[in-house]
Amino acid sequence: LTALYQPIIDFRSQAIFGYEGFIRGPSDSPLHSPHSLLEAAELEGKNSELENICREIVISQFIALNLPSRLFFNAIPITIENPKKGAEKTLALLENSDLLPEDITLEFNEPFPFSDISTMRRAINHYRNIGFSVAFDNLGCSQSSLRNLEKLSPDFIKIDRYYIQGIDQDPQKQNYLLNL
């Protein structure tokens, strides 16, 4: 497994605000796609192990690269189901580095992988109490987007690509995003 990092730009300051860490499987295999990798882990009952390995690789390589900003990375469902365990493992990875929980943002992809809003709220509160921040990724790709946004109040919102592509030419998209 390999970590890749994509810069996140603050358009107001034109500066790099952070980096999103991605995991990819071997480039010459069907497991290169994160979706395929997650499906394979699910089939084998290895979600928890994959979550731990991905988190370790993304954080340790980020530390080794000494990138001077915030790290965003996707959290998979197991993170929500057992936030205490996920937070402990993440804190252990940060232990011998200059990174603090305040430098880490967990991204939860929409549609959100949880059965009820109270489970998600408890997980988010647990991570926030430690110092982590929370982002919703791909906002707008499901029917419950605005309801979840209002009830869960993420620290960051990453809008689904559909709304961003061609936004400079589409007044409806501009209006929608300005009124979130």
Side-chain angles (χ1 to χ4, degrees), residues 58-161:
V58 167
I59 291 173
S60 63
Q61 287 184 14
F62 186 80
I63 291 168
L65 290 169
N66 199 27
L67 296 171
S69 60
R70 173 177 295 279
L71 172 61
F72 288 69
F73 64 88
N74 289 310
I76 61 175
I78 197 76
T79 303
I80 298 164
E81 294 163 9
N82 192 344
K84 184 176 183 205
K85 190 175 183 181
E88 288 171 358
K89 290 179 186 230
T90 304
L91 289 171
L93 292 169
L94 301 179
E95 223 169 71
N96 297 317
S97 76
D98 293 335
L99 282 179
L100 302 171
E102 292 79 12
D103 299 322
I104 304 290
T105 299
L106 296 172
E107 289 189 9
F108 294 102
N109 280 302
E110 191 183 13
F112 301 111
F114 63 93
S115 55
D116 69 276
I117 200 110
S118 62
T119 301
M120 185 69 167
R121 188 178 292 129
R122 275 193 304 277
I124 287 173
N125 288 338
H126 182 78
Y127 282 107
R128 280 192 176 136
N129 289 337
I130 294 169
F132 297 104
S133 56
V134 173
F136 289 173
D137 198 4
N138 297 323
L139 190 77
C141 71
S142 86
Q143 298 293 340
S144 59
S145 296
L146 295 178
R147 188 177 329 119
N148 290 330
L149 179 63
E150 182 261 325
K151 290 182 185 232
L152 298 173
S153 302
D155 302 297
F156 302 97
I157 301 168
K158 294 173 72 184
I159 307 295
D160 186 64
R161 180 185 299 184

